[in-house]
Amino acid sequence: MRVLGRVNLIGEHIDYCDLAVLPMAIQRDLRVDFRPRGDDLVRLANTNAAHGPVEFRLSSPIEPAPQGHWSNYVRAAAEHGARELGLTAGMDAVIDGNIPEAAGLSSSSALLVGSMLALLAANSRPLGRLELALRCAQAERFVGTHSGGMDQAACLLAQEGAALRVEFAPLAARPIPLPADWRFVIADSLRVADKSGSLRESYNARRGASEQALARLLADEGRSDAAGGWRGLFARHSPEEVLRRAERVLEGELLRRARHVIRESARVESATSAMLAADAATFGALMDASQASLREDCEVSTAELDLLCGIARRHGALGARLTGAGLGGSIVALVLEARAETVLEALAENYFAERLPARELRHHLMLARPSQGAS
Ligand code: GLA
């Protein structure tokens, strides 16, 4: 099985509010080579020497390894597969890949999706991609991070040459072709963003804050039911009106988190239109506004991510922002083809030269190639 990493172009920390996002799959991949077994043993090896071999059985309760352990994403797939789908056949599998780890490019969801695909194949149980994306998102809760469904959808549903507009509840995905001269640069800040490890609590706290903010906004309308969640609010009121209400009923951290959700969601709508109209200047400005909001209201940027965005912009990027959960990980910047080399060189010289041996540069700095999801 081959599963790709993803970069989110815009729509950060709102997938768990069931609001649309715009990621795309990139050429970096994770591969699971496997052989079905006649028993229920799952035996794993990893070509990354830092990740030692692991084995567990599908039939006994599958327990998580210590927080942050690489095998937890495979265990997550196996636990869901055994409990919900009745999978019984194990596998011998080798994991190999070149998605930078804990860099905001979804290496962990790729591992879960690849493991799920391998286990399903080992058990001769085909599943449709939409159902699979939903199941993989549910399965990921095993690691203790209450993620949304963006990464799994991007891994499974992305199409070559296009970004993917992903909507939730119900899950739906629509390719938005990239204009011919748009390029997205990805630069890894080299600060680890391990969603299932050290960042788990801060990630879950942001989701919790958005839920509390929503409950207060609904209570203000006199509603005691979920009333369609954030999407229901936006169906009843304009984004400006939702923001006015938030400013009236919320304060402090909850207000900042809600303001991010409200404005980021509006930005995804404008960015989708800008991409369809090949309006790079508008798309770039929306990425910049997203970064400001992620820094000030969602509070998930870091000095390194801000620095990378600044370098990219100063050398001709039309916009730049962190991508993924933040608090480390990577940035993504929009550049027109003619400027791409200049921006890559500027990032190499001004950020990576003093932080990384030259031979490792290509692993952490790249032009994204929008690619077909899992195969
Ligand atoms: C992580 C999660 C996603 C999403 C992003 C932030 O990548 O896995 O579901 O919430 O963070 O946008």
Side-chain angles (χ1 to χ4, degrees):
M1 296 297 163
R2 176 171 184 257
V3 182
L4 305 186
R6 65 99 188 91
V7 62
N8 188 20
L9 303 180
I10 197 156
E12 220 63 85
H13 281 276
I14 59 170
D15 61 344
Y16 48 69
C17 303
D18 285 341
L19 295 166
V21 295
L22 194 64
M24 66 186 196
I26 58 174
Q27 66 274 21
R28 294 297 177 86
D29 63 9
L30 176 133
R31 289 176 301 281
V32 184
D33 288 316
F34 69 99
R35 182 173 56 204
R37 291 179 60 95
D39 59 13
D40 65 351
L41 192 62
V42 175
R43 289 204 313 164
L44 305 169
N46 197 312
T47 56
N48 180 339
H51 300 328
V54 168
E55 54 178 68
F56 57 87
R57 290 193 178 274
L58 284 178
S59 56
S60 42
I62 298 169
E63 303 291 344
Q67 185 176 346
H69 193 274
W70 74 275
S71 71
N72 278 338
Y73 287 93
V74 187
R75 291 171 195 266
E79 198 272 337
H80 183 94
R83 184 171 43 82
E84 296 285 326
L85 300 166
L87 304 187
T88 52
M91 62 180 180
D92 294 329
V94 180
I95 318 283
D96 184 26
N98 60 16
I99 308 171
E101 286 182 16
L105 302 175
S106 198
S107 62
S108 45
S109 295
L111 177 55
L112 190 154
V113 170
S115 307
M116 186 75 96
L117 284 167
L119 279 168
L120 287 167
N123 285 270
S124 308
R125 279 288 298 275
L127 273 191
R129 293 236 160 171
L130 279 176
E131 180 179 351
L132 200 51
L134 285 171
R135 286 189 177 279
C136 287
Q138 280 169 25
E140 201 166 314
R141 294 200 145 216
F142 178 84
V143 303
T145 311
H146 299 173
S147 308
M150 165 171 73
D151 303 347
Q152 301 78 7
C155 280
L156 282 160
L157 305 166
Q159 299 201 6
E160 199 173 335
L164 193 73
R165 183 183 158 93
V166 184
E167 294 173 5
F168 302 94
L171 183 62
R174 174 162 70 105
I176 313 283
L178 281 199
D181 60 344
W182 291 25
R183 297 288 179 274
F184 287 99
V185 171
I186 297 173
D188 174 7
S189 72
L190 309 174
R191 164 107 79 101
V192 165
D194 183 2
K195 221 176 25 145
S196 73
S198 55
L199 299 188
R200 189 166 84 175
E201 304 318 321
S202 43
Y203 181 90
N204 289 346
R206 278 165 182 78
R207 181 175 187 145
S210 72
E211 286 166 1
Q212 277 179 47
L214 173 65
R216 298 263 286 272
L217 286 164
L218 292 174
D220 179 58
E221 283 186 318
R223 291 174 188 266
S224 53
D225 60 338
W230 286 101
R231 289 221 312 274
L233 272 176
F234 294 131
R236 294 189 291 280
H237 315 285
S238 67
E240 296 74 27
E241 174 59 18
V242 179
L243 192 54
R244 270 195 295 278
R245 287 168 181 242
E247 279 163 353
R248 180 161 51 72
V249 300
L250 304 172
E251 57 191 19
E253 186 180 301
L254 275 196
L255 173 58
R256 292 199 297 282
R257 302 292 186 262
R259 195 158 53 202
H260 172 73
V261 170
I262 297 162
R263 290 183 169 155
E264 184 76 351
S265 174
R267 280 189 286 269
V268 172
E269 299 314 311
S270 310
T272 306
S273 307
M275 189 174 274
L276 287 166
D279 179 352
T282 299
F283 196 96
L286 290 162
M287 291 176 79
D288 286 346
S290 172
Q291 173 63 14
S293 175
L294 287 160
R295 187 178 54 238
E296 282 148 35
D297 284 340
C298 196
E299 298 177 282
V300 291
S301 193
T302 61
E304 293 90 344
L305 292 166
D306 291 335
L307 179 61
L308 282 167
C309 288
I311 297 170
R313 279 191 211 107
R314 272 198 306 284
H315 291 84
L318 297 171
R321 56 184 290 282
L322 70 86
T323 187
L327 295 172
S330 303
I331 66 144
V332 56
L334 171 61
V335 292
L336 294 181
E337 187 183 8
R339 282 308 275 192
E341 275 310 312
T342 313
V343 172
L344 286 169
E345 276 165 23
L347 288 165
E349 271 169 37
N350 297 303
Y351 190 83
F352 291 100
E354 62 189 28
R355 292 176 171 83
L356 202 65
R359 64 175 186 285
E360 290 176 27
L361 182 64
R362 287 179 45 153
H363 190 55
H364 299 280
L365 176 67
M366 67 195 98
L367 273 187
R369 221 175 33 243
S371 306
Q372 182 84 31
S375 55

